[in-house]
Amino acid sequence: MEYIERPVGSVEKYKGIIVRVRLDDAELYTGKVVKREVVEHPGGVTILPVDEEGNCTMVRQFRYPFGRMMLEAPAGKLEYGEDHRECAVRELSEETGFTADELVYLGGCCTSPGFSTEVLHIYLALGLHAGECHPDQDEFLNVEKIPLHTLSRMVMDGEIDDAKTIVAVLKAEKYLNGG
């Protein structure tokens, strides 16, 4: 049985720079009406650049909500209506300076389906060509090169706790190992 919830009302509670928050009334399959909080987000991309030697170009940046530097795969927010592949090309260039001969789409990832509409599109970038990185004005990051097998160990040991990076590393490793 599918337990579908049908929206029967909605009120926008907040409209910010990136997200909108609404409070919905949803009718359960039983007929009961409940409240659902929804964070509308345009989504984004995550790109794992891997060179011929199996090294990944990562970024380390301060993440305000967690109050610490985090090691992550390069990533960025989609503009509403933007094609995710075009966004991946842009973000790869901005954060690492790279262009890629091949962008392999590894699928989408619903980041927090209990309350958010955000979907991150995961890409593997191969055939890398160096250039100058040009992050956004308010974006400060360190670029690091780390072997994929080391990143995979770091994910499994809990040293990397960023969800998009975990998904990108494990999917890329599986893809590159013929899986």
Side-chain angles (χ1 to χ4, degrees):
M1 173 179 252
E2 289 191 45
Y3 300 107
I4 304 298
E5 298 180 10
R6 188 175 60 83
V8 293
S10 185
V11 176
E12 184 174 86
K13 292 292 190 175
Y14 173 78
K15 184 175 181 178
I17 299 166
I18 298 172
V19 299
R20 294 181 189 137
V21 179
R22 66 178 205 260
L23 182 61
D24 288 359
D25 290 320
E27 183 180 2
L28 304 178
Y29 81 100
T30 62
K32 181 179 179 182
V33 175
V34 297
K35 299 287 186 190
R36 295 289 187 240
E37 295 174 325
V38 179
V39 176
E40 296 177 2
H41 188 286
V45 297
T46 302
I47 313 102
L48 190 67
V50 181
D51 67 18
E52 295 77 21
E53 289 82 43
N55 295 308
C56 302
T57 301
M58 306 292 287
V59 297
R60 191 177 299 270
Q61 59 187 329
F62 185 81
R63 290 303 194 178
Y64 183 82
F66 291 95
R68 63 182 166 97
M69 298 289 284
M70 295 182 77
L71 182 66
E72 305 174 30
K77 180 182 70 68
L78 281 162
E79 299 303 324
Y80 281 99
E82 181 181 19
D83 177 77
H84 55 81
R85 184 176 203 82
E86 291 174 14
C87 182
V89 169
R90 181 187 75 242
E91 291 296 334
L92 178 65
S93 175
E94 283 180 7
E95 294 193 3
T96 69
F98 285 126
T99 56
D101 289 335
E102 185 178 9
L103 278 177
V104 179
Y105 184 62
L106 298 176
C109 173
C110 299
T111 60
S112 296
F115 68 87
S116 176
T117 63
E118 181 183 36
V119 175
L120 290 178
H121 299 276
I122 313 295
Y123 283 90
L124 170 63
L126 302 170
L128 304 175
H129 302 280
E132 291 294 318
C133 58
H134 45 97
D136 293 333
Q137 283 183 341
D138 59 350
E139 189 173 40
F140 306 98
L141 43 85
N142 297 321
V143 177
E144 301 178 20
K145 192 177 279 195
I146 302 172
L148 180 57
H149 64 85
T150 300
L151 289 173
S152 182
R153 180 197 51 78
M154 292 171 75
V155 162
M156 298 310 293
D157 289 348
E159 294 176 54
I160 295 175
D161 56 359
D162 171 59
K164 68 185 177 303
T165 300
I166 292 169
V167 172
V169 166
L170 297 180
K171 282 190 150 196
E173 184 177 52
K174 183 82 168 170
Y175 177 88
L176 292 170
N177 288 332

